[in-house]
Amino acid sequence: MQRCLHITLIASFALLASGAVARADRGVALDLGKLEIAQTLTPGGGYRLPPLGVRNPGDEVTSYRILVSHVQGQEGKPIPVDWFSFEPRELTLKPDETQTVQARLSLPSGADPGDYEGLLAAQIVAKGEGAQVGAAAAAKVTFEVEAATWLGAWWYRIRTFVADHQPW
């Protein structure tokens, strides 16, 4: 009986020492897959986009950075990074926690007309040093910018300001 106990203890210790270590899982999910802005946008205008839900599907606390990127070989023009602002731009979530991020698109008055395409992404912020691969989840965004006119840009600024400050 005592010999059986010793063998069981040794086998248990060997199993623990062999590298059967529990691994933490980090991930990211978005509640939006695609955002097609049907309205033609005017240079000089500002637009509040639908809220973007970022969720931590993993089992450890994880930090995320919200960013804009493009896909090589895409049809539309790449969206300049400085056209977007996010509130918050960085966030930390507990497992299964979701937080809403508000995105705003602000076109400069000299924005080139045409079709634009890009990705709104939530990327895991890498911990530590050295080369690391960070997961990300992204939603495709597309829109068209019309040719600039001074009057059109002025009118959109007024309408955007009024819409952003409504109590509803």
Side-chain angles (χ1 to χ4, degrees), residues 101-141:
V101 174
Q102 184 60 60
R104 182 161 184 81
L105 173 60
S106 298
L107 301 177
S109 56
D112 288 335
D115 294 324
Y116 287 83
E117 183 177 338
L119 299 172
L120 299 182
Q123 180 180 43
I124 293 177
V125 176
K127 295 181 188 177
E129 297 179 16
Q132 297 184 16
V133 177
K140 182 178 178 180
V141 61

Side-chain angles (χ1 to χ4, degrees), residues 29-100:
L30 297 180
D31 67 0
L32 181 68
K34 183 163 101 172
L35 176 61
E36 282 184 36
I37 302 172
Q39 163 189 6
T40 302
L41 306 181
T42 302
Y47 307 89
R48 187 169 24 175
L49 302 179
L52 179 67
V54 178
R55 185 174 64 84
N56 179 356
D59 59 9
E60 69 176 65
V61 174
T62 305
S63 295
Y64 305 95
R65 179 176 301 115
I66 312 302
L67 51 95
V68 178
S69 66
H70 68 280
V71 178
Q72 188 171 357
Q74 67 186 27
E75 293 179 24
K77 297 178 183 182
I79 302 169
V81 175
D82 59 344
W83 287 10
F84 276 92
S85 60
F86 303 100
E87 185 56 42
R89 179 168 284 286
E90 292 195 11
L91 55 146
T92 300
L93 301 175
K94 297 175 186 171
D96 291 323
E97 185 177 22
T98 299
Q99 184 171 340
T100 300

